[in-house]
Amino acid sequence: MVLVRVSRLVQTVFAEVSRCHGLTTQQTQLLCVLSRGPVGMTELSRSLHLEKSSLTGLVDRVERRGLVERVPDARDRRACHVTLTAEGTHCATEVHQAVTERLDALGAELPAAEREAVAAALARVLSRDDTPRPFPAAS
Amino acid sequence: MVLVRVSRLVQTVFAEVSRCHGLTTQQTQLLCVLSRGPVGMTELSRSLHLEKSSLTGLVDRVERRGLVERVPDARDRRACHVTLTAEGTHCATEVHQAVTERLDALGAELPAAEREAVAAALARVLSRDDTPRPFPAAS
DNA sequence: TATTGTTATACTCTATAACTATA
DNA sequence: TATAGTTATAGAGTATAACAATA
């Protein structure tokens, strides 16, 4: 159950960093997905494993804080694209850096060669996973 | 960010298995901690990173389903131990097996030697972590 | 006085079902 | 008819603050 413990550790880091920025874990995850670019509600609900109705409220709350915006889709008047505002982009970047720093600090326990071997192995396991990535960068 | 993606994958597995058993992720985590033995509310709140007041409600709901029980502490009349009922123990075991099976299936992507090397490396990283383990077993 | 656990309150998160508007 | 997104509703999860009972 090493994977379960690793997962809980990462979740804790994620939650703590989010809290430092006045966000919930779910709100941070929304920002992370959007940092790759604007996304419609339906696709967003698939990315986040959420019902569309649940997503409506989440986006409402984050929009109320000025971090995202609903932009009407010119080609389909039913649809919209959710995009990061300037402040939202800034926030997403900061959270990404903070999480990365804290996880890299953990990885520093291992020699570089071993660290890369682990990363490569995990990447292979993940290759079976069709879930969209929450983060744009590597590492 | 491989760790973040692994974490999300594990969380998804955990949530899906929980749902199959009519539980939420948080309720399953409670059962997992208790599968090591009875624990008081204060210690439980530390294990789960929850305020005591939040824990009261969580334990209430799981107790209402007959999976756990509050047992008065004979030595301290303020305190109680939360313990699994027979049904709760059964449920915790089933969830543990299901999660283990699905994660092992993912690990099967890798040759055995590499798999063990990864497990050992991650265990070393986790050695810095003081969070109590959610599961009793190894793997 | 300090600690154990609960209550009161307010929010966030989530799903199900029913709905509106557009395609 | 099907799809995109919202609203209504109900329940679960969470934190803060105030509290009761015991140590």
Side-chain angles (χ1 to χ4, degrees):
Chain A
M1 291 292 83
V2 176
L3 283 184
V4 172
R5 296 225 290 143
V6 168
S7 169
R8 276 177 62 78
L9 181 55
V10 172
Q11 283 175 65
T12 300
V13 167
F14 214 89
E16 284 176 3
V17 169
S18 297
R19 211 162 195 242
C20 285
H21 291 258
L23 297 170
T24 65
T25 303
Q26 294 84 355
Q27 290 169 355
T28 298
Q29 277 170 348
L30 173 62
L31 297 186
C32 291
V33 171
L34 293 179
S35 66
R36 313 197 57 147
V39 186
M41 294 294 279
T42 299
E43 189 185 338
L44 212 39
S45 76
R46 274 193 289 266
S47 296
L48 295 171
H49 301 297
L50 279 180
E51 289 301 317
K52 285 191 300 177
S53 58
S54 307
L55 186 60
T56 295
L58 179 60
V59 171
D60 282 348
R61 288 181 291 271
V62 179
E63 189 168 29
R64 216 178 297 139
R65 297 195 190 185
L67 301 180
V68 305
E69 210 173 4
R70 283 175 171 95
V71 176
D73 184 333
R75 282 189 287 269
D76 184 342
R77 285 190 302 177
R78 295 171 301 179
C80 66
H81 296 300
V82 184
T83 75
L84 290 179
T85 62
E87 189 184 349
T89 304
H90 179 69
C91 194
T93 304
E94 282 198 346
V95 168
H96 179 266
Q97 282 180 358
V99 169
T100 302
E101 269 173 30
R102 289 192 46 177
L103 292 182
D104 282 354
L106 285 174
E109 294 292 318
L110 300 176
E114 197 170 352
R115 198 162 60 234
E116 285 177 24
V118 169
L122 291 179
R124 189 125 57 92
V125 170
L126 285 170
S127 64
R128 294 288 182 195
D129 177 27
D130 55 349
T131 305
R133 341 194 137 81
F135 275 120
S139 165
Chain B
M1 291 293 83
V2 175
L3 282 184
V4 173
R5 295 226 288 143
V6 168
S7 169
R8 276 176 62 76
L9 180 55
V10 172
Q11 284 175 65
T12 301
V13 168
F14 214 89
E16 285 175 2
V17 170
S18 297
R19 212 161 193 244
C20 286
H21 291 259
L23 297 170
T24 65
T25 303
Q26 294 84 356
Q27 291 170 353
T28 298
Q29 276 169 349
L30 173 61
L31 297 187
C32 290
V33 171
L34 292 180
S35 66
R36 314 198 56 151
V39 185
M41 294 295 280
T42 298
E43 191 185 336
L44 213 40
S45 77
R46 273 193 290 265
S47 296
L48 296 171
H49 300 296
L50 280 180
E51 290 300 317
K52 285 191 300 177
S53 58
S54 308
L55 185 59
T56 295
L58 179 58
V59 171
D60 282 349
R61 288 182 289 272
V62 180
E63 190 169 28
R64 215 178 297 140
R65 296 197 190 184
L67 301 179
V68 306
E69 210 174 3
R70 284 175 170 96
V71 177
D73 183 334
R75 281 189 288 270
D76 184 341
R77 284 190 302 177
R78 296 171 302 181
C80 66
H81 296 301
V82 184
T83 75
L84 290 178
T85 62
E87 189 184 349
T89 303
H90 179 69
C91 194
T93 303
E94 281 197 349
V95 168
H96 178 267
Q97 282 181 356
V99 169
T100 301
E101 269 173 30
R102 288 192 45 176
L103 292 182
D104 283 354
L106 286 173
E109 294 294 318
L110 301 175
E114 197 171 352
R115 199 161 60 233
E116 284 177 23
V118 169
L122 291 179
R124 189 123 59 92
V125 170
L126 285 171
S127 64
R128 294 288 183 197
D129 177 26
D130 56 349
T131 305
R133 346 194 131 82
F135 275 121
S139 165

